[in-house]
Amino acid sequence: MAELIIFSLLHGLVYGLLLFMLASGLTLIFSMMGVLNFAHASIYMLGAYVAYTISQYVGFWPGLIIAPVVVGLFGALVERYGLRHVHKYGHVAELIFTFGLAFLIEEFVQLIWGKQTVGYHEPAVLAVPLFEMYGQTFPAYKAFMLLVSVAIFIVLLVVLTRSRVGLIINAAITHPSMVSMLGHNVPMVFMGVFGVGSALAALAGVIAGPSLGTSPGMAVLLGPIVFVVIVVGGLGSLIGAFVASLLIGMMTTFAVAIDYSFGQFFMDVGLNMDPDGVLSDLYTVTIAQLGPIMPYMLLVLILIFRPTGLFGTREV
Amino acid sequence: MLVVKDLNAYYGKSHILQGVNFDVKQGEIVSILGRNGVGRSTTCKAIMGDVEPHGSVMFKGEEIVGKKPHEIAHMGLGYVPENRDIFPTLSVRQNLMLGMKEAGKEGVWKIDDLFDRFPNLKERAENDAGVLSGGEQQMLTMGRTLMGNPELVMIDEPTEGLAPKIVEQVGELLEEIAARGVSILLVEQKLTIALKIAHRVFVMGHGHMVFEGTPDELRANDKIREEWLEV
């Protein structure tokens, strides 16, 4: 039991913080510009692929730095020369724009790198177990992922709460035109936030690529969960995104580890169920099997009982 | 200093400003009076570039129609909005810091000056601005804009909904602003302060000016007052 708890906690933390790296950018972009960036997860995928290609030539470590920078610049350009022009046609147009961009990136990735999972691996120094406990090992690479995401979280927190740029961003979330009339270049701040948000998503992709696999499906795999995170946390709330990321990270990893079905539950409480009954298929469903849909069940519950999300102030 | 000629502005299809003309000279206090909904706030927003302006606005001899709000602010035009757009999640001090156009660069107006003048703000310097009372928020909004060292400041209904004692404080601050050589465009609905401190007043009707003159001339003009100002 202790083994299950310790490992699930660690894996949940790794997964949760990875979600946060994506959710933080997405929620910041949403709260400032009012646009849900459907291409955010595609940018995460792009980060992994760009890093993979760079790693082919100069190794893993330069890729870790260069790929987020390159993809961040790409994000800034998308805002400056794409989204900003679409903005005057309203939020629906912006939404469709990011939707199109998501498809575009996916097709581009398949065109360049193919449909198969590419061989993007962690560097040899991290391809070892960090420690062993109860006969189970925890990979050093996961610890590295944890380290990177915690570092990013701290940097983000310090920049947003202590720096002047952070103040401007915070003020622009609620009153962009007032901030602008005080003499701050809000469009530039928007571009910066979009760029940095994209760079963060890319960095998440870079560190997730070797662990979760770098394939054209990786955007679709994580994208919907990230949306769940920011809705559950409350649209526009960074703290909410953080809490919801960890919550969903933990929930899904714990669920996967629990091999317990309704049938067993009924048996344990002393009910004898007919194994050939109408609902017998349902009895055999285990918690582990339910794991992947748990975030969506949580989403539905939140939307019914707390439409502003855990920490949000506006309704979805 | 500020010359507005044939200024037009639209919200969607409705034509809000229909050829607004007025000017503010260096060191002058000019007041725009008028009832709600005649376009006074829109005039300020169009000058700042927050609402798309059509026509001509010359500030310090330069055309500012087409410039972005932050560029206009950097030229020395300040705006204090009527709805007291404070940043509620930031502290009082942080609100004032954002008024400065460059980090940590205080100009004629210092945060400590402002705190001396309004001890309430000083007491709450580290609190979220969202918890301030209406009067305190008004002082904060004005103070925030002053931190940016404007040469002309447009102040939209600074006394709306405030207790008489606070209104008096607002009046004193306006006089000090003027004493420091800053030109003021005061947008008001009530005549009291405006007639007391303005050098010239304009009365705005539906989307354009219907009167220009001194406070004395407006006092003498019953017809304009009855038709356009009295409720």
Side-chain angles (χ1 to χ4, degrees), chain A residues 164 175 177 180 183-185, chain B residues 50 70 74 85 97-98 100:
Chain A
R164 185 168 163 89
H175 299 82
S177 65
S180 188
H184 306 292
N185 191 343
Chain B
D50 189 39
H70 68 94
H74 271 274
D85 266 335
M97 280 161 64
L98 278 187
M100 297 176 211

Side-chain angles (χ1 to χ4, degrees), chain B residues 145-166:
Chain B
T145 300
L146 293 175
M147 286 298 137
N149 258 340
E151 291 169 52
L152 187 157
V153 57
M154 300 189 286
I155 307 179
D156 198 351
E157 292 225 38
T159 62
E160 196 192 7
L162 297 184
K165 200 174 153 237
I166 316 274

Side-chain angles (χ1 to χ4, degrees), chain A residues 2-314:
Chain A
E3 163 199 358
L4 183 136
I5 291 176
I6 292 171
F7 278 91
S8 294
L9 262 178
L10 281 172
H11 287 293
L13 204 59
V14 172
Y15 185 48
L17 286 171
L18 185 75
L19 285 177
F20 177 71
M21 284 173 84
L22 280 160
S24 54
L26 191 61
T27 208
L28 263 185
I29 290 168
F30 171 77
S31 46
M32 291 192 77
M33 309 183 201
V35 54
L36 265 181
N37 180 13
F38 274 104
H40 205 65
S42 311
I43 287 169
Y44 149 84
M45 172 170 72
L46 197 60
Y49 274 98
V50 170
Y52 160 72
T53 297
I54 294 171
S55 74
Q56 297 286 296
Y57 296 98
V58 286
F60 176 85
W61 299 106
L64 180 70
I65 310 289
I66 301 170
V69 172
V70 170
V71 177
L73 282 175
F74 167 73
L77 290 177
V78 164
E79 196 282 329
R80 176 68 184 81
Y81 295 101
L83 209 51
R84 197 177 296 184
H85 294 281
V86 180
H87 181 75
K88 55 175 166 288
Y89 303 110
H91 288 329
V92 174
E94 289 177 307
L95 219 60
I96 294 170
F97 174 83
T98 66
F99 215 67
L101 186 65
F103 284 118
L104 209 64
I105 293 174
E106 196 177 320
E107 290 300 321
F108 174 77
V109 161
Q110 294 190 14
L111 200 67
I112 303 283
W113 289 283
K115 292 190 187 233
Q116 304 298 320
T117 304
V118 295
Y120 182 33
H121 301 293
E122 62 269 57
V125 63
L126 291 175
V128 292
L130 184 68
F131 62 84
E132 198 184 313
M133 215 185 229
Y134 308 104
Q136 212 177 338
T137 59
F138 189 73
Y141 188 72
K142 288 246 171 173
F144 167 74
M145 287 173 74
L146 203 61
L147 213 67
V148 172
S149 26
V150 168
I152 289 294
F153 174 66
I154 292 171
V155 168
L156 210 58
L157 199 70
V158 170
V159 168
L160 284 175
T161 57
R162 298 270 176 271
S163 77
R164 185 168 163 89
V165 172
L167 283 188
I168 295 176
I169 291 173
N170 268 310
I173 285 175
T174 47
H175 299 82
S177 65
M178 190 61 232
V179 175
S180 188
M181 288 188 283
L182 286 175
H184 306 292
N185 191 343
V186 171
M188 179 105 109
V189 173
F190 278 12
M191 186 176 88
V193 168
F194 208 91
V196 171
S198 300
L200 279 183
L203 181 61
V206 178
I207 63 172
S211 169
L212 304 178
T214 306
S215 72
M218 67 190 287
V220 180
L221 208 64
L222 212 58
I225 305 278
V226 176
F227 280 109
V228 172
V229 165
I230 67 166
V231 172
V232 168
L235 286 174
S237 164
L238 257 188
I239 296 293
F242 182 69
V243 173
S245 297
L246 289 184
L247 184 70
I248 287 173
M250 295 289 175
M251 203 167 77
T252 39
T253 29
F254 268 94
V256 166
I258 300 171
D259 191 24
Y260 191 74
S261 70
F262 292 117
Q264 266 171 304
F265 172 75
F266 290 133
M267 270 200 312
D268 287 351
V269 296
L271 287 167
N272 216 349
M273 307 307 289
D274 175 10
D276 299 316
V278 208
L279 296 172
S280 65
D281 284 344
L282 214 55
Y283 305 150
T284 56
V285 171
T286 61
I287 303 275
Q289 286 170 304
L290 283 178
I293 64 162
M294 278 190 171
Y296 304 103
M297 297 199 293
L298 181 65
L299 175 72
V300 171
L301 288 178
I302 285 280
L303 286 177
I304 292 172
F305 294 107
R306 200 179 159 82
T308 55
L310 296 175
F311 293 84
T313 47
R314 53 182 132 192

Side-chain angles (χ1 to χ4, degrees), chain B residues 23-44:
Chain B
D23 66 295
V24 182
K25 297 188 182 71
Q26 175 82 46
E28 200 180 21
I29 304 180
V30 171
S31 186
I32 296 182
L33 297 164
R35 292 198 188 105
N36 275 335
V38 294
R40 297 164 307 154
S41 298
T42 309
T43 304
C44 295

